[in-house]
Amino acid sequence: MSPLAVRRIVLGIATPVIALVMAFAVVWIILEISGFDGWGVFHNMFTTGTEDRYVARAINRAVPYFFAGCAVAVGFRMALFNIGVEGQYRIAGLFAAWLGAQVNLPAVFEISLIVLTSVVVGAAAAALPAVLKVTRNVNEVVSTIMLNFIYGGVGTWLLITYLRDKHAHTVSTQTKALPHSAYFPAADKVLNGIGFQVPKTDPITGLLFVAIVLGILLHLLIKRTRFGFELRATGLNPVAAAANGVNAKAMVIKGMVLSGALAGFVGLPELLSNTHMFVGETFPQQLGFTGIAVALLGRNSPLGIGLGALLFGFLDVTTGSLQLSFNPKLKIPNEMALVMQGSILLAVVITYEVVRRLELRWQGRAVARAAERLAGETGGEPGEPATSTGSAGGER
Amino acid sequence: MTATVVERPAPRAEQAPDWRGRLRRGLLYALLVFVLLSLVRQITGATDLTSAGTLSAALGLSVPIGMAALGGLFSERAGVVNIGLEGMMIFGTWFTGWAGYQWGPWLGVVFGVLGGALFGLVHAVATVTFGVDHVISGVAINIIALGATRYLSSQLFVGKPGGGVNQSPRVDDVKKVSVPWLSSGYDALGRVEHHRWFLVSDLAGLVRGLTGQLSLLTLIALALLPLSYLLLWRTNLGLRIRSVGENPYAAESLGVPVYSVKYLAVTLSGALAGLGGAFLVVVYGGNYVENQTGGRGYIGLAAMIFGNWHPAGLAAGSGLFGFFDALRLRQGTLAVHALLLFVTIVMGLLLLRAAWKRQWVQGVGFAVIGGLAAWWYFATDSVPTVLVPLVPYVATLLVLAMSAKRLRPPAADGLPFRRGGGG
């Protein structure tokens, strides 16, 4: 193995660690300034975070984060910014919950129907900004943000006027409850079978396995298929991709539709494992934006996104547990989770960029050295290749 | 060097703009829109469509959007895409609330501007020094803004009179001025407006809305538009900012300190977004409230794109969005319902034009949108209350879809730049 390859592997492991250390340093400073006990908070988070029930809760929170992260990452891979996952999963969840409650099929068909509806509606919702971009040149960042507001408002309106369960005597507005055949089996049996101890109070959603399978499929799709290759090529160099016969417009539509389809999964844990209905007031919000952070954290790879999602889930549940603390030095406000997630995000983004630059410079130097050696062997002019790679080496 | 010099086609240069023609066309469109609105007002009886109250609110609501748009203009003219305007605006609102309730509105505004500038600086550090993708850095700033302001509120506003986790104590308003006799006191325009004469009353409403009860902050914001134009197109610094956005390597070769110029422009961009946020708190809200910006940073960005990266254009765009925003606040459901008729007529006109030019695909699009609007208008009496707040967003999307094709962003907008990387 060449020294460059070794260094790259070391960097690959070290980078996320450095980024996390930086992020936690920032959070520690913020905590200390606000008068909390920084070390105490971290220590407490770690001890509670490794308790079984908190691990289970963190996983349950991580599953939708993972779906949202994947949805965003597909777009990012081709430099397409789907900021609209937020609106897409909400409207998809609404329609899936409504349609699923209209029928009562055997479990396999019932669940398939709900999943399919959610995926199709999510894909359709994402297709609109894609069409606007391709035909009318509307920037997808702006259009998806506007559509977040629009889908949210239209969803609320549809729920209140048409899709609501009119016989429910509750303060909240909700769709009819899904039949029992739509309850997704919990992962507990399988996990207990392979040696984990899932606490009885906090069952883990079976969608965890769906997430894992989906992650593997997505990895294969991006790395092993022609579509994935074209996707990455468009993201890396759209001009070169177009010159090599990639249809840029078709790629925008396909990428966006795939992203929206994945967004359709985000609301499923709530519908299939949690409340089993779409409650207007409590259906999870902001998952689309968390998904952006998770995708960036995981460098757009399914494995990374999974780890990022777990980290965010961990932060959620452990800061939540600190609320119950009797020690005022540890009782940090709930909002601290958001601040931590934000700082981690910025630290990670900047660290990765710096490391990428460093790597480029090392590559440039290695190439320059190899060229010099080659020139020495053939007796050529060593200055010539060294200067031509000099610009790559000097890139910073 | 060989002797033969290949004649290359000139790079797509900015065509010498035909200002007078453009101005004339713009005014013509504005007049047409005004006459149509007056007509719709007469037919539907939705008096708030052109009332002084609506237009005054429209002017006020265009200011935050316009300031965000102006912020976007400086940043993107220097080649840095700034999707973080929303976050900078959020920080502007928070800092204004924090300083404003303690030391009065003017210091509040100063702190709002500084708060926005601070996160403009963060965006500059991330994008210029570290070369992070502009959209990613911007999105990160928006996410941080949400969490950080909520955290800061929980630390600094809870327990204060009127303060809480999601709002600050009260902030006083700055002084408002009116033109005497015309819009206050005798109120000549108000009297004319009261008669509901076709066009005449609408015009009186328009002028009265623009001259009565003007906040001093509004005047400052309005003055910033021509000042920005002068700065960007009539000074050396402006030329440098624009050259950095068009071709940073060429600018660098001429000795322009590209990094410093970008830093300056992006920080200024944050300051302007912060000013927009400060305006929301001081003139509109009366205190800082969570989610006060309501996506106005993004709408400002859209207004700037609609305005083709130019102060005059973005002023028109902001005015348009401010108007839609104001409509939903006054007579909400009724005015928005009347707006459907307006959309129908506009689509009808566009359909005629498309047919004249034989652009059948666009024609079908106009016909579909117009048909839907007409069906909605005639089938119902008012628009559901839940949907009224969506008007600015739908308008943004529609207007962008109509206009985005003919736009030209700065050539190096959003591209990474490395010192000495031009080869």
Side-chain angles (χ1 to χ4, degrees):
Chain A
M1 210 186 282
S2 73
L4 199 65
V6 174
R7 256 199 280 202
R8 189 181 286 169
I9 291 170
V10 172
L11 265 187
I13 300 165
T15 315
V17 176
I18 297 171
L20 278 185
V21 169
M22 297 235 318
F24 277 100
V26 172
V27 173
W28 182 78
I29 292 169
I30 295 174
L31 282 172
E32 291 286 333
I33 290 176
S34 330
F36 296 110
D37 173 11
W39 285 122
V41 167
F42 287 154
H43 181 255
N44 209 308
M45 282 172 75
F46 192 74
T47 43
T48 51
T50 44
E51 281 172 32
D52 283 346
R53 62 201 165 103
Y54 282 107
V55 172
R57 283 182 205 170
I59 290 175
N60 280 336
R61 295 205 67 127
V63 170
Y65 287 168
F66 175 78
F67 289 133
C70 287
V72 175
V74 166
F76 276 1
R77 274 280 160 144
M78 54 176 294
L80 193 67
F81 296 95
N82 184 6
I83 313 291
V85 171
E86 180 70 20
Q88 289 150 19
Y89 86 80
R90 285 184 64 86
I91 197 107
L94 173 65
F95 277 105
W98 174 77
L99 192 66
Q102 303 306 306
V103 291
N104 189 356
L105 305 170
V108 178
F109 298 109
E110 178 74 31
I111 290 174
S112 308
L113 175 74
I114 293 171
V115 173
L116 205 65
T117 312
S118 196
V119 165
V120 168
V121 174
L128 179 57
V131 169
L132 281 177
K133 183 180 174 71
V134 170
T135 60
R136 307 298 311 165
N137 201 18
V138 179
N139 183 308
E140 81 278 8
V141 177
V142 177
S143 67
T144 50
I145 288 168
M146 295 299 128
L147 283 169
N148 278 343
F149 291 106
I150 295 172
Y151 288 146
V154 170
T156 310
W157 173 65
L158 285 175
L159 179 65
I160 292 173
T161 39
Y162 300 111
L163 308 181
R164 171 167 71 95
D165 179 8
K166 296 196 170 86
H167 305 292
H169 297 288
T170 48
V171 191
S172 52
T173 354
Q174 65 220 22
T175 57
K176 216 166 100 187
L178 289 169
H180 278 274
S181 56
Y183 286 27
F184 204 86
D188 299 17
K189 263 187 199 152
V190 182
L191 288 177
N192 285 334
I194 54 174
F196 289 95
Q197 287 297 318
V198 182
K200 290 238 160 47
T201 48
D202 293 280
I204 293 178
T205 169
L207 285 158
L208 172 64
F209 299 118
V210 177
I212 293 170
V213 171
L214 204 70
I216 294 170
L217 286 179
L218 194 63
H219 174 82
L220 293 176
L221 180 74
I222 289 174
K223 292 282 186 186
R224 293 275 185 274
T225 65
R226 183 193 165 124
F227 171 75
F229 173 75
E230 293 187 346
L231 192 86
R232 284 179 294 141
T234 315
L236 288 172
N237 191 337
V239 179
N244 283 295
V246 176
N247 183 343
K249 289 189 171 182
M251 281 313 291
V252 169
I253 304 259
K254 282 184 206 163
M256 221 38 191
V257 165
L258 179 60
S259 175
L262 287 168
F265 281 91
V266 176
L268 291 179
E270 179 76 5
L271 298 182
L272 301 179
S273 300
N274 209 356
T275 52
H276 307 287
M277 59 176 84
F278 187 100
V279 186
E281 290 81 359
T282 62
F283 194 75
Q285 286 187 19
Q286 299 284 328
L287 292 182
F289 296 107
T290 313
I292 297 171
V294 171
L296 293 174
L297 209 60
R299 312 234 60 199
N300 300 331
S301 89
L303 182 64
I305 294 169
L307 294 175
L310 279 174
L311 176 66
F312 272 33
F314 169 82
L315 289 177
D316 279 348
V317 296
T318 50
T319 48
S321 81
L322 279 172
Q323 298 270 293
L324 307 172
S325 172
F326 293 109
N327 184 348
K329 283 251 173 209
L330 298 179
K331 196 175 168 131
I332 56 172
N334 226 349
E335 294 73 36
M336 201 62 217
L338 278 173
V339 176
M340 286 188 194
Q341 290 168 355
S343 332
I344 290 176
L345 176 61
L346 206 64
V348 165
V349 165
I350 289 179
T351 313
Y352 275 125
E353 193 59 37
V354 170
V355 168
R356 193 183 67 86
R357 267 271 186 80
L358 210 61
E359 215 175 328
L360 268 182
R361 208 191 309 169
W362 283 348
Q363 266 175 22
R365 276 200 209 137
V367 170
R369 230 176 291 133
E372 256 170 52
R373 204 170 344 123
L374 208 67
E377 280 166 15
T378 55
E381 189 76 26
E384 185 67 26
T387 47
S388 69
T389 52
S391 68
E395 173 141 11
R396 44 156 292 160
Chain B
M1 252 304 169
T2 47
T4 50
V5 177
V6 182
E7 196 79 39
R8 268 201 241 160
R12 199 163 51 114
E14 207 163 351
Q15 282 174 357
D18 173 17
W19 286 116
R20 214 170 286 172
R22 254 191 225 180
L23 193 67
R24 205 182 304 142
R25 208 160 21 159
L27 285 177
L28 203 68
Y29 279 135
L31 188 68
L32 188 68
V33 167
F34 184 68
V35 172
L36 275 181
L37 276 178
S38 175
L39 190 69
V40 170
R41 198 262 305 158
Q42 204 76 7
I43 297 172
T44 59
T47 47
D48 260 341
L49 221 46
T50 57
S51 73
T54 307
L55 288 162
S56 170
L59 180 65
L61 285 167
S62 352
V63 168
I65 296 172
M67 288 304 101
L70 210 53
L73 178 74
F74 273 96
S75 179
E76 301 219 351
R77 277 289 173 183
V80 177
V81 172
N82 194 351
I83 202 86
L85 284 171
E86 175 76 9
M88 294 166 200
M89 207 168 181
I90 292 175
F91 280 114
T93 57
W94 190 88
F95 277 101
T96 308
W98 175 70
Y101 92 88
Q102 308 182 70
W103 308 309
W106 285 109
L107 264 178
V109 172
V110 170
F111 271 86
V113 169
L114 289 178
L118 179 67
F119 284 87
L121 191 63
V122 170
H123 189 53
V125 171
T127 55
V128 179
T129 302
F130 291 115
V132 174
D133 184 282
H134 300 180
V135 176
I136 290 175
S137 166
V139 169
I141 285 177
N142 294 341
I143 291 177
I144 289 173
L146 286 176
T149 51
R150 200 180 293 172
Y151 175 70
L152 287 169
S153 301
S154 76
Q155 295 293 298
L156 295 170
F157 291 158
V158 174
K160 302 278 169 8
V165 181
N166 47 18
Q167 59 178 17
S168 75
R170 190 158 176 79
V171 179
D172 292 328
D173 200 349
V174 296
K175 210 177 159 204
K176 286 197 164 77
V177 291
S178 293
V179 180
W181 190 76
L182 218 51
S183 316
S184 64
Y186 177 72
D187 196 9
L189 291 169
R191 283 159 195 253
V192 177
E193 193 195 351
H194 197 67
H195 287 292
R196 310 253 164 267
W197 294 323
F198 176 61
L199 275 183
V200 180
S201 293
D202 301 304
L203 191 65
L206 177 72
V207 178
R208 183 162 169 257
L210 301 185
T211 54
Q213 287 290 305
L214 278 181
S215 171
L216 287 178
L217 263 187
T218 310
L219 293 178
I220 292 176
L222 286 180
L224 281 175
L225 284 167
L227 284 180
S228 301
Y229 170 76
L230 290 177
L231 175 65
L232 278 170
W233 272 271
R234 290 285 179 272
T235 66
N236 276 336
L237 179 64
L239 181 64
R240 287 177 167 194
I241 291 178
R242 286 183 298 124
S243 70
V244 161
E246 295 292 339
N247 190 339
Y249 295 109
E252 186 188 32
S253 74
L254 294 172
V256 176
V258 177
Y259 280 20
S260 312
V261 169
K262 281 187 184 234
Y263 260 86
L264 178 73
V266 178
T267 310
L268 201 58
S269 168
L272 285 164
L275 178 61
F279 186 90
L280 277 176
V281 172
V282 171
V283 181
Y284 259 83
N287 66 343
Y288 159 80
V289 185
E290 198 173 275
N291 293 334
Q292 200 164 22
T293 56
R296 287 196 177 82
Y298 300 123
I299 297 181
L301 198 68
M304 181 211 60
I305 295 173
F306 166 76
N308 204 4
W309 289 265
H310 192 278
L314 72 83
S318 311
L320 193 67
F321 296 134
F323 175 69
F324 289 128
D325 215 5
L327 265 192
R328 78 183 165 87
L329 284 181
R330 321 206 19 120
Q331 278 191 356
T333 55
L334 192 64
V336 173
H337 188 246
L339 211 55
L340 287 171
L341 183 63
F342 176 72
V343 171
T344 311
I345 297 176
V346 170
M347 288 299 152
L349 290 177
L350 285 173
L351 178 63
L352 284 180
R353 202 184 69 158
W356 176 257
K357 288 187 173 177
R358 295 174 191 283
Q359 296 165 331
W360 302 118
V361 183
Q362 272 122 314
V364 170
F366 295 140
V368 169
I369 299 175
L372 281 175
W375 170 74
W376 199 352
Y377 174 77
F378 289 111
T380 57
D381 289 331
S382 70
V383 171
T385 334
V386 202
L387 294 182
V388 170
L390 301 184
V391 172
Y393 311 121
V394 176
T396 307
L397 209 57
L398 272 181
V399 166
L400 274 186
M402 302 279 176
S403 63
K405 261 225 140 127
R406 54 168 180 80
L407 303 176
R408 195 199 77 91
D413 201 10
L415 300 181
F417 168 78
R418 296 285 94 205
R419 198 179 274 154

